[in-house]
Amino acid sequence: MEKLGHVLAKFIEIPMTEIDDDASIQVDLGVDSLDVLKLASEIEKAYKIRIENEEFDRLRSIGGIKKMINEKVAGGVGASK
Amino acid sequence: MNSANRVLITGVGVVCPIGLSAEETWQRIRLQQNSITPIGFGHGCDFRIETASFVDCEKIRRNIKPEHIGYSKSFQYGLVALQEAIEKARLTPGDMQNTRIILSTTSSGWDVLERRLGEKELGEFNIQETAGWCASKLKEISGSIRPTSTFAAACASGTIALGYAYDLISTGCEDIVLVGGVDVLTKVPFALFDSLRVLSARECRPFDSKSSGIVLSEGAAFIVLESEHSAKQRGISSLVEFAGYGQACDASHMTRPSGEGLLEAMKQALNNAGVDSSSIDYINAHGTGTPSNDNVELGAIEKLMASRTSPIVVTSTKSSIGHLQGVAGVIEAAVVAYTVSENTVPPMKHSETRKNTNTISFDPKSDGLQNIGYAMSNSMGFGGVNAVAIFRRIDNGEISTLESCPRRGFMPISVRFGTENGGGGSIEDGFLGAYSFDRNGPDLQSKALISQVESILRHSDIAPKSLLRTRTGLALETCLGSIAVTEKIYADLDREGASGVDPIDATRNTFNAPGSFSAIASNLQGPNITLAAEMGSSLSALEYGISILQGNSSDLMIVGGYDYIPVESKTFKSIRMLGNEVAGGLGNCVFEASMMSIELLDSARKRGAQSDLVIEDFFRNSRRASMNAVVDVIATISEYLTENRIHQIGIECVINSKEGEAKWRKELDASGLKDKFQLNVEVLSSISPAWAYKYLKNLGGSSSKENDLDGNNRLDKYLVVFAGWNSEISVLRLGKVA
C-alpha cells in the first residue's frame, strides 16, 4: 500500500499509517468532494485499475479504499475490466 | 396603452436524438421513448461510461443543402431546427430581415475544434471553432440582418437566452426574435462529465431512488418569440404566451448547486409573470438524473410551493431526450409549449421507485391537475447559474390589447472603471488575491478576471460584501473561452485516457467558468452571463448588461470582454497559420481583458457614486448579413444623427479591421462626415472582444480628468462608433460627466 500512501499524501496531511481505517475521508479528514473525484482518478492511475461509478461509496474510508484495491489488484470480485 | 408587449411563441423547431422535428420529438416523449447508443469517439479513451444520445447525422444531411454538409454538426442541427421554426411561424424573407437570432450553446463547433487538436501536425484554425460563429452563419443563411448574441452560460444558457429575447420584445425593442440552442456532443465535454462521475450507464431516471446520473445528448432547438401585435399583424395565432422569467446565481460552488439561486430565480419568474406559486400547474424540472442535483432542485421547489393546498406536478423530459446542455432550456421550453397548448403533461420514463410527497407529484395524470394554465421550466448550470421561464396558455377567445407598446426610452447609464493595473500585463501581476480559493479553485485566466472584478467593485464605491449582492451581476464576452483548459484536457485524454482527466479541470473548462468564479469570489448573486463573441466583434455583453439595468433586473452590472490564448498553445500557433491578416489580431494578447461597471445614472447619483463616463444612448446595429463595409458605418452614423437632430457632436470611429487602416481612413475622410463634425478615426486589430471595452476605458480615463474626452474641452457629447470584423456596429452617445 505504499503507492496509496503517496497518493493520499497529496490530499491529506496526516500520514496514512496514522489514520484510522474507519475514519471518513470527507467528514473526519476534510477532503473536498472534488478532491475525492481526483483521488479516485489518481488511484486508478497508480494501480491501473478501474473504479466504477457505482463503487464510489467504497472511497468513504481508508479501509474501504484498501479493501477495494486489494480485490481489484488480486483480480477478485469487482476487478477492473 | 400597454406598459409592456405580450410575448407569444409562434413557432418551434427541434432536432434531437429522438426526433428530427418538434412534433416527432413531442410524440416520442409522450410514448416515453429514448435513444441511448454507444459513443463513437471513445476509442482509446477508456471512459467509465460509454453510452449517450446522438442525433442521426445521416438523416440530417438529407435535410440540408449539399454546401452546408461540410460544416460543424452543431451548425447542421441548428440549420434544420431553424428551418422548421421559420416554416412553422410562416416567417417570410421580409419578416426574416428584421428578425434577430439569439443563440445558446456550450459546445458549438467543438467537433471542428477537436478535429484540429487531434491532428498530428499543427492544423489550421477554423473560424467555426469560435462559439459566436454559428449565430452569424445562421443569420447569413436566413436573411436576417439584425445583430446576433450567443449565450454560453453552461446548461442554463437556453433559458437565459429566452429571457433576454423576452425583454427585447416586451420593451418594444424587437418584434420577432428567433431563440435557438445548438450543441454537439464530443470527446472533451463527455470526458468532463465522465471525470465528475455524474454519467449514467443506463437510462436517465430523474428523481428516482435508483437514479444513477445524466445521459448526455446533443441537437438543436429554435423558438420563435413574437410580440402579440406583430403576430396579429401577420395573421399568426398562438396558444402559448411567454409570461415571465427570472435568473440568479448561487455564487457558492462551481459544481454543487445550493438551491438558493434556483429558488430566487423561480420567485423572480413568478413576480415577472405577475402570478403566485399556487397558479403554477406544472414544472418541467431541470432534473438531470444525478441524485444530489435532483434533491437540491426538489428542495427549492418544496420551499416555493410550501403554501399550496394541492401538490405541484413535476416531471423532467431528460428521461427521454437526455441532457442537451446549452440547448436544454430552449428544447424544454418547446416541450412546455406543447404541454400547455395540448394540456398534456409529458411523462417521465422509468418511474417505478419515485415517491410523491405532500407538495410534489411526479404523476403526469395527477388527479389534481385538470387544466394547465401556467407551466414553469427550470434550468441550472455549472457555476451555480439558474434561470426559470413561465409559460401560459392563451384561452380561445381571449380579448387582447391590439396596441403595441412604444419602444422604451433609454435611461442614461453611469460607467465606472477599475484601477490602471487591474488588467493587462501578466496574469500574475494582475491578480490581487481577493478571495482565498483552495487549490481546486480558479485557473490563471479566472484569477486575473476575479482581480479585475474586485478592482471595479471597489472603484464603483461599493464596499466589498456590504451591498445587496443579489442585485449585482456580471456579463462578460469572450471569443475563445477557456481554450487553454480545453487543450489541456484533450492532451490529458490523449496521453492517459479517462483516468488522466483532472476533474478539477471540468470546473474550469466551461465558457462561463471565469464569470462564475468571479461571482463566487465577489458574492455576485445577480445575473451571471458569459456571451460568446465572434472574432473581432464586441459589446454584446454591454448591450445585455444595459438591457438588464433598464429592465430593473439588477442594480449594477459588471460588463467586459476577455481572452486568454497562451503563446505555447496549439490554438495560438494555429491562428498564426492563418497569416498576418488574422493573426495580427492576436497582437501580444496572450491575455487581454477589460471591463467596467454600469448602473443607471439616476441611481448612481442618488447613492453619490461617481461616473467615469455617461452613456446617453446605445444600440447595436447591423446592415447586412456578413462583413461590414465603410458605407454601413457611414450610413449608421448619418441616420442616427438625422433621426436625433444632432448637429454638433464629436465622432470617434473605432474600426477593428484585419485589412489595415488606409482604406478605412480614406473612405471615412471622403464621406463628408468630416466636413460637418469633428471626426476621429482609430483603426486597430484584435481577436478578443476586450478591444472595445479597452477603448472605452481609455476614453473614460481622460474624460474623468478633463471633463471631456480628449482634454480639450470642446464638446460635451461624443458619438463613439465601433465596427467589428463581422457585420455588427455599436453606437454609444456619451454625455457630459457631471
Side-chain angles (χ1 to χ4, degrees):
Chain A
M1 286 291 144
E2 198 186 321
K3 277 191 275 184
L4 179 62
H6 287 305
V7 170
L8 284 173
K10 294 182 191 172
F11 303 93
I12 303 164
E13 283 178 16
I14 312 164
M16 187 174 77
T17 47
E18 291 171 28
I19 303 172
D20 184 0
D21 264 5
D22 295 332
S24 160
I25 291 205
Q26 286 198 58
V27 179
D28 300 328
L29 302 170
V31 179
D32 166 58
S33 60
L34 277 170
D35 267 339
V36 178
L37 292 166
K38 205 168 170 170
L39 173 66
S41 297
E42 299 269 335
I43 294 172
E44 284 184 331
K45 276 196 279 180
Y47 289 94
K48 297 195 167 44
I49 56 172
R50 165 55 46 91
I51 303 168
E52 304 296 343
N53 290 356
E54 51 267 36
E55 296 175 306
F56 227 69
D57 275 355
R58 306 186 70 181
L59 293 166
R60 274 189 196 164
S61 66
I62 305 289
I65 294 173
K66 283 182 189 166
K67 194 161 174 261
M68 183 179 63
I69 293 172
N70 281 333
E71 282 173 12
K72 285 178 182 283
V73 171
V77 185
S80 65
K81 46 187 174 181
Chain B
M1 191 168 286
N2 299 334
S3 60
N5 288 311
R6 281 178 28 163
V7 183
L8 310 181
I9 293 181
T10 54
V12 290
V14 168
V15 164
C16 74
I18 59 165
L20 297 188
S21 71
E23 183 65 33
E24 187 186 7
T25 303
W26 171 243
Q27 293 308 337
R28 295 225 160 129
I29 288 172
R30 291 192 60 188
L31 295 169
Q32 304 188 33
Q33 293 180 347
N34 62 8
S35 166
I36 299 170
T37 53
I39 52 172
F41 46 70
H43 182 70
C45 294
D46 203 15
F47 287 121
R48 296 164 186 102
I49 303 296
E50 294 178 315
T51 48
S53 286
F54 295 94
V55 171
D56 186 337
C57 291
E58 282 301 316
K59 282 191 186 161
I60 288 290
R61 285 190 202 111
R62 278 181 242 140
N63 282 295
I64 57 176
K65 289 182 183 166
E67 69 254 38
H68 297 138
I69 287 173
Y71 287 112
S72 156
K73 282 186 193 172
S74 41
F75 165 76
Q76 295 181 28
Y77 305 157
L79 186 55
V80 174
L82 176 73
Q83 285 164 353
E84 187 193 355
I86 290 175
E87 213 171 283
K88 290 259 175 68
R90 301 207 306 268
L91 292 169
T92 64
D95 298 327
M96 274 312 297
Q97 238 190 16
N98 294 314
T99 294
R100 219 176 140 162
I101 292 178
I102 291 176
L103 271 199
S104 64
T105 187
T106 63
S107 61
S108 172
W110 277 43
D111 48 342
V112 179
L113 162 68
E114 289 187 12
R115 205 157 53 222
R116 173 173 65 78
L117 293 179
E119 283 173 25
K120 282 209 174 69
E121 305 292 320
L122 194 64
E124 195 173 89
F125 183 83
N126 188 319
I127 186 78
Q128 291 177 56
E129 295 173 30
T130 63
W133 171 84
C134 191
S136 292
K137 189 68 185 170
L138 290 173
K139 162 182 162 175
E140 187 187 317
I141 291 173
S142 67
S144 161
I145 57 165
R146 305 281 299 122
T148 63
S149 304
T150 301
F151 290 80
C155 303
S157 304
T159 305
I160 292 171
L162 284 164
Y164 183 39
Y166 171 91
D167 280 343
L168 291 174
I169 296 171
S170 64
T171 55
C173 295
E174 303 286 340
D175 279 327
I176 309 171
V177 182
L178 264 159
V179 184
V182 298
D183 260 338
V184 55
L185 183 52
T186 59
K187 217 149 102 172
V188 170
F190 191 87
L192 299 179
F193 283 91
D194 186 58
S195 78
L196 291 172
R197 295 181 179 263
V198 290
L199 295 180
S200 171
R202 301 180 297 274
E203 308 92 346
C204 171
R205 297 166 174 254
F207 310 116
D208 190 302
S209 62
K210 287 187 184 162
S211 71
S212 58
I214 298 169
V215 171
L216 283 177
S217 183
E218 61 173 7
F222 266 93
I223 287 186
V224 182
L225 292 179
E226 183 164 3
S227 70
E228 185 178 33
H229 180 73
S230 167
K232 291 232 177 214
Q233 271 190 335
R234 296 198 307 116
I236 299 287
S237 62
S238 167
L239 290 172
V240 188
E241 180 185 352
F242 185 176
Y245 82 101
Q247 59 181 326
C249 184
D250 288 349
S252 66
H253 196 272
M254 288 300 280
T255 54
R256 205 171 46 231
S258 70
E260 282 174 31
L262 178 65
L263 182 61
E264 173 63 26
M266 289 192 290
K267 283 180 183 167
Q268 278 183 24
L270 288 173
N271 191 30
N272 193 212
V275 290
D276 60 32
S277 62
S278 61
S279 306
I280 304 296
D281 301 301
Y282 163 68
I283 296 179
N284 188 296
H286 186 63
T288 55
T290 50
S292 53
N293 281 28
D294 287 358
N295 286 336
V296 167
E297 184 173 11
L298 284 186
I301 294 173
E302 294 252 3
K303 269 188 196 162
L304 185 78
M305 298 291 172
S307 60
R308 278 173 73 103
T309 49
S310 63
I312 176 80
V313 177
V314 177
T315 68
S316 163
T317 30
K318 288 187 177 75
S319 58
S320 284
I321 58 177
H323 191 357
L324 278 88
Q325 305 169 69
V327 187
V330 186
I331 194 169
E332 284 157 20
V335 170
V336 173
Y338 273 96
T339 305
V340 167
S341 60
E342 298 197 359
N343 206 25
T344 304
V345 168
M348 247 189 309
K349 213 173 143 63
H350 320 295
S351 61
E352 58 274 19
T353 61
R354 207 171 277 127
K355 286 203 181 87
N356 294 338
T357 68
N358 289 337
T359 327
I360 292 170
S361 164
F362 298 111
D363 179 8
K365 295 194 173 75
S366 171
D367 292 343
L369 183 61
Q370 306 295 332
N371 189 14
I372 307 167
Y374 283 92
M376 187 182 253
S377 176
N378 287 355
S379 294
M380 302 160 80
F382 261 175
V385 186
N386 305 278
V388 172
I390 294 177
F391 301 93
R392 168 182 169 270
R393 190 172 67 245
I394 300 171
D395 291 320
N396 284 334
E398 190 175 307
I399 300 163
S400 67
T401 45
L402 255 174
E403 216 170 343
S404 131
C405 103
R407 191 187 168 122
R408 186 177 53 201
F410 191 92
M411 290 175 263
I413 299 285
S414 163
V415 179
R416 202 84 166 103
F417 301 98
T419 50
E420 283 309 308
N421 57 9
S426 82
I427 292 178
E428 289 83 354
D429 289 348
F431 183 48
L432 301 176
Y435 182 89
S436 61
F437 281 97
D438 62 16
R439 62 199 155 83
N440 292 341
D443 57 320
L444 281 179
Q445 168 174 259
S446 301
K447 282 181 182 172
L449 293 174
I450 290 168
S451 78
Q452 286 212 10
V453 168
E454 276 292 313
S455 155
I456 290 165
L457 282 171
R458 268 178 235 150
H459 255 235
S460 306
D461 308 315
I462 293 174
K465 323 278 179 202
S466 68
L467 191 90
L468 187 60
R469 294 288 170 99
T470 51
R471 300 279 298 171
T472 305
L474 182 68
L476 300 178
E477 55 185 309
T478 172
C479 176
L480 288 165
S482 307
I483 189 73
V485 182
T486 308
E487 276 199 21
K488 177 181 177 290
I489 295 165
Y490 194 92
D492 289 345
L493 252 183
D494 218 26
R495 204 176 48 246
E496 297 181 85
S499 300
V501 176
D502 184 345
I504 313 308
D505 284 335
T507 67
R508 299 167 173 162
N509 184 62
T510 50
F511 252 72
N512 64 326
S516 301
F517 276 123
S518 296
I520 295 169
S522 303
N523 190 25
L524 307 177
Q525 296 165 31
N528 190 285
I529 312 304
T530 300
L531 291 117
E534 216 187 339
M535 271 192 161
S537 69
S538 191
L539 296 182
S540 62
L542 175 64
E543 185 189 36
Y544 181 78
I546 288 178
S547 166
I548 288 287
L549 294 177
Q550 310 244 334
N552 193 29
S553 299
S554 196
D555 292 335
L556 186 118
M557 290 290 292
I558 291 174
V559 297
Y562 70 90
D563 267 294
Y564 171 46
I565 317 167
V567 271
E568 69 275 14
S569 68
K570 274 188 164 182
T571 300
F572 189 89
K573 291 170 192 157
S574 294
I575 294 174
R576 273 282 161 84
M577 285 172 73
L578 295 177
N580 273 342
E581 207 183 280
V582 177
L586 276 171
N588 55 2
C589 78
V590 179
F591 173 66
E592 187 161 36
S594 192
M595 49 183 98
M596 58 207 210
S597 75
I598 55 172
E599 65 182 308
L600 295 182
L601 183 62
D602 266 357
S603 43
R605 287 197 174 144
K606 263 181 212 150
R607 68 183 186 90
Q610 288 185 352
S611 309
D612 289 330
L613 286 178
V614 170
I615 303 174
E616 288 187 341
D617 200 2
F618 171 77
F619 64 95
R620 270 170 86 221
N621 190 30
S622 173
R623 303 180 80 89
R624 65 178 73 217
S626 54
M627 299 292 285
N628 269 322
V630 180
V631 286
D632 301 328
V633 177
I634 295 165
T636 300
I637 298 171
S638 305
E639 265 175 29
Y640 181 79
L641 296 176
T642 309
E643 264 172 34
N644 291 282
R645 298 193 184 111
I646 297 171
H647 306 293
Q648 207 197 8
I649 198 161
I651 303 172
E652 293 271 328
C653 227
V654 192
I655 313 293
N656 188 359
S657 171
K658 296 178 282 184
E659 295 166 16
E661 49 185 299
K663 184 174 149 252
W664 282 95
R665 283 193 188 283
K666 199 174 139 203
E667 294 190 35
L668 279 165
D669 282 350
S671 69
L673 280 173
K674 212 164 189 174
D675 305 335
K676 294 184 220 154
F677 303 98
Q678 290 179 16
L679 177 72
N680 178 36
V681 181
E682 295 288 339
V683 183
L684 50 86
S685 182
S686 173
I687 282 171
S688 172
W691 64 277
Y693 298 94
K694 229 171 165 177
Y695 196 87
L696 285 171
K697 188 174 174 181
N698 288 339
L699 281 184
S702 54
S703 80
S704 60
K705 280 185 226 96
E706 305 292 340
N707 203 17
D708 196 358
L709 291 171
D710 55 6
N712 292 333
N713 202 21
R714 288 189 304 237
L715 294 167
D716 288 341
K717 290 181 194 300
Y718 271 81
L719 205 62
V720 188
V721 183
F722 294 99
W725 286 11
N726 61 0
S727 57
E728 282 156 24
I729 300 164
S730 297
V731 178
L732 290 94
R733 194 177 78 224
L734 301 179
K736 194 169 185 168
V737 177

